[in-house]
Amino acid sequence: MKHIKFISIITIYLLSSCTDALLGDKGAFDEELYLNYETKTDLELPFEETWYVAVGGRTHAQGGGHFTAYGSGQRYAYDMGIVINGRDHTGDRSRNEDTFTFGARVNAPADGKIIALENTIDDNSRPGVINNNINNSNLAGNYVLIDHFNGEYSMLAHFKKGSIIVAVGDMVVQGQEVGKAGNSGNSTGPHLHYHLQNTPNYLDGIGLPAQFKNYYEDDIFQHSAEPVRGQFIRKE
């Protein structure tokens, strides 16, 4: 697949989608502590199709603003979306529905319990525009927070309004659909934000490296690895 067109178009939207807020590096200690962290949870990619990693990785260049937002749980976060033949959309991208990502199925990456969610926030009116009611209390838009019962918690954000089909207290299994990708919250284009953190609190705590099991990155099989910006990834 051709990446250049997507990087030039989609990265403009996705790199700014989750990275313009919650900045502030808390120092080197956390980085030293988690540099060699091995994920306890057996994570699976939380989607069905091939998705593109617009943001993700261990460096500033790969992680964008997420890299400095790790004190808010986003240090090793991913922004991902669907690209087909180098494009993320049909038409003129004037509507959320023009993108391949909007409305795409999103799954639980591992077994766990739904401990928090939001499902009532309007999607931003179109790609490239953030609704004027987005503030520090709703940056994640519609989201799901999953407790994996081992000190690790999965945060999936920016769901389509009303699409989340689980409830707080539900037990979910790996691969179970939890909702549809959207464009809610601090998002300038439909995509999925995913990160692993060490607390059950909303966008708070320390971001943890998330190693996914048994997937392909650019058609190369990985038994356990961390996706990196610029890769196309899909489940086995």
Side-chain angles (χ1 to χ4, degrees):
M1 293 183 178
K2 296 180 180 179
H3 300 189
I4 296 176
K5 183 179 291 186
F6 176 69
I7 292 173
S8 63
I9 296 175
I10 301 311
T11 303
I12 292 173
Y13 294 102
L14 297 193
L15 282 182
S16 61
S17 63
C18 300
T19 61
D20 295 337
L22 298 177
L23 301 183
D25 196 323
K26 291 188 176 181
F29 176 76
D30 293 337
E31 170 63 9
E32 294 171 356
L33 183 63
Y34 292 104
L35 184 62
N36 298 311
Y37 185 85
E38 293 187 9
T39 308
K40 301 173 186 176
T41 309
D42 286 335
L43 296 173
E44 174 184 270
L45 294 178
F47 38 74
E48 298 297 312
E49 305 92 341
T50 297
W51 286 48
Y52 177 78
V53 182
V55 174
R58 295 290 191 107
T59 69
H60 282 279
Q62 295 166 338
H66 289 157
F67 192 84
T68 54
Y70 77 100
S72 297
Q74 299 186 62
R75 177 57 185 265
Y76 303 103
Y78 294 98
D79 287 342
M80 301 172 285
I82 298 175
V83 180
I84 300 174
N85 296 326
R87 295 170 62 88
D88 82 318
H89 67 283
T90 59
D92 61 3
R93 208 173 189 271
S94 63
R95 306 177 306 152
N96 291 319
E97 291 81 3
D98 290 339
T99 67
F100 302 126
T101 304
F102 192 74
R105 171 175 171 162
V106 176
N107 302 330
D111 298 350
K113 181 179 181 179
I114 305 297
I115 57 172
L117 64 80
E118 175 60 61
N119 201 22
T120 63
I121 296 176
D122 289 335
D123 287 279
N124 295 308
S125 60
R126 55 163 295 169
V129 174
I130 297 177
N131 294 344
N132 58 17
N133 63 339
I134 299 303
N135 53 53
N136 286 337
S137 70
N138 57 15
L139 290 173
N142 301 306
Y143 72 91
V144 169
L145 187 60
I146 304 173
D147 183 355
H148 298 300
F149 302 111
N150 56 11
E152 295 180 345
Y153 303 82
S154 282
M155 177 75 164
L156 300 96
H158 306 309
F159 284 87
K160 180 181 177 181
K161 180 182 180 180
S163 73
I164 294 172
I165 56 175
V166 292
V168 172
D170 284 356
M171 300 296 296
V172 293
V173 297
Q174 186 175 71
Q176 176 180 338
E177 182 177 357
V178 295
K180 306 290 187 184
N183 188 26
S184 59
N186 186 41
S187 169
T188 53
H191 74 289
L192 172 65
H193 168 105
Y194 174 81
H195 73 258
L196 198 66
Q197 63 182 49
N198 72 337
T199 74
N201 303 319
Y202 176 81
L203 294 181
D204 188 35
I206 296 173
L208 304 174
Q211 291 118 35
F212 292 88
K213 304 289 188 182
N214 302 323
Y215 73 97
Y216 288 89
E217 57 183 34
D218 296 334
D219 293 325
I220 299 173
F221 180 75
Q222 300 292 336
H223 174 67
S224 180
E226 297 172 28
V228 173
R229 176 184 173 184
Q231 294 176 340
F232 284 86
I233 57 177
R234 59 182 171 86
K235 292 193 296 186
E236 183 180 18

